[in-house]
Amino acid sequence: QSVYYYLWTDVIPPQLMGTFACMFRVCSTLGTFVIDFFLLRACYEHPGAVCIGAAALYLASFTMLCLMVKEGDYPPPEPRSQADWFTRTTESIAVYVRECFSHSFYWKIYLYNLCFMIGFVPFRNFLILYAQKDLGMPFEKFQHIRGLCDLIQMGIFFGLGPIIDRFHPIRAGLVGYVMMFASGLCGFFFIHGTMSFAICIVGVFVATAVYQ
């Protein structure tokens, strides 16, 4: 999955990267909205069919990506070493490690993504259990709240693209992190029922949209 992110820098002008990323998120969030608002119950009643359908869509879209997106021209690669296979392998590994792990910028990106995945993914995945088991929320009510979060996120993505291109993605990501921390803290202290759950969860997903 990481490979198509590498493709971005090859085919998208840097000055439009923020706008493209936001439109990319609009499309992915639209898919999430379809799941949350129309197929969430099917995910529990027929998980195999949903997973197979999602996999087929993923396969078709990736095939279209490979066939339709054309990269620019690249300078020719350096001539291959004539050394033995072991030397070539160790040299390639050394280049990979040096280029990926010797630059502080990449360490920051890895750290940002690590913290985001550790913090947000369990929150998102266990949200429905918290709503139903701890708050006694009806399934349909949770479905509507998640659908509302998705719609609000799409609106944010639509509006943020040009702003991020001007402001810089790293700064926007830091603002999103602060917003996620604050909204998560509010959720921890102030969620006591359906209304407070809806308000706080919308706040968390707004902050997440800014970060993403």
Side-chain angles (χ1 to χ4, degrees):
Q1 188 181 23
S2 300
V3 172
Y4 68 72
Y5 288 115
Y6 308 151
L7 189 62
W8 288 19
T9 57
D10 289 337
V11 298
I12 301 165
Q15 63 271 23
L16 298 177
M17 188 65 75
T19 300
F20 173 83
C22 284
M23 296 308 298
F24 176 88
R25 291 291 177 190
V26 168
C27 295
S28 63
T29 307
L30 181 61
T32 304
F33 172 77
V34 171
I35 291 287
D36 289 336
F37 207 77
F38 298 106
L39 298 177
L40 195 58
R41 189 175 292 280
C43 291
Y44 288 87
E45 296 174 352
H46 308 287
V50 173
C51 286
I52 291 172
L57 179 62
Y58 206 77
L59 175 63
S61 60
F62 248 92
T63 302
M64 291 171 60
L65 180 73
C66 295
L67 295 176
M68 298 174 65
V69 176
K70 303 301 181 185
E71 300 172 81
D73 295 324
Y74 302 100
E78 297 180 5
R80 290 191 63 179
S81 171
Q82 299 303 312
D84 60 274
W85 70 269
F86 181 79
T87 303
R88 294 199 308 270
T89 301
T90 54
E91 287 177 351
S92 297
I93 293 173
V95 169
Y96 175 83
V97 171
R98 183 173 65 253
E99 292 184 353
C100 292
F101 300 108
S102 64
H103 199 299
S104 63
F105 176 81
Y106 295 115
W107 281 103
K108 294 171 188 173
I109 293 294
Y110 300 150
L111 183 61
Y112 286 173
N113 288 331
L114 174 66
C115 293
F116 176 76
M117 298 298 286
I118 290 174
F120 181 70
V121 173
F123 162 85
R124 181 191 62 198
N125 291 347
F126 287 101
L127 200 56
I128 188 170
L129 297 178
Y130 173 69
Q132 291 186 305
K133 307 274 184 196
D134 291 355
L135 299 179
M137 187 180 300
F139 184 88
E140 289 73 16
K141 177 65 71 174
F142 175 81
Q143 199 171 18
H144 291 159
I145 293 172
R146 282 292 288 115
L148 176 63
C149 290
D150 296 333
L151 291 175
I152 293 174
Q153 280 195 313
M154 281 191 280
I156 292 172
F157 290 137
F158 265 118
L160 270 186
I163 297 174
I164 290 176
D165 282 331
R166 185 177 183 86
F167 189 56
H168 197 276
I170 297 296
R171 297 190 187 99
L174 289 172
V175 171
Y177 255 146
V178 173
M179 292 174 63
M180 288 180 68
F181 175 77
S183 58
L185 208 58
C186 288
F188 181 80
F189 285 111
F190 297 123
I191 291 179
H192 301 293
T194 300
M195 182 57 68
S196 57
F197 175 87
I199 294 172
C200 291
I201 295 310
V202 166
V204 171
F205 277 91
V206 166
T208 304
V210 175
Y211 171 75
Q212 288 184 314

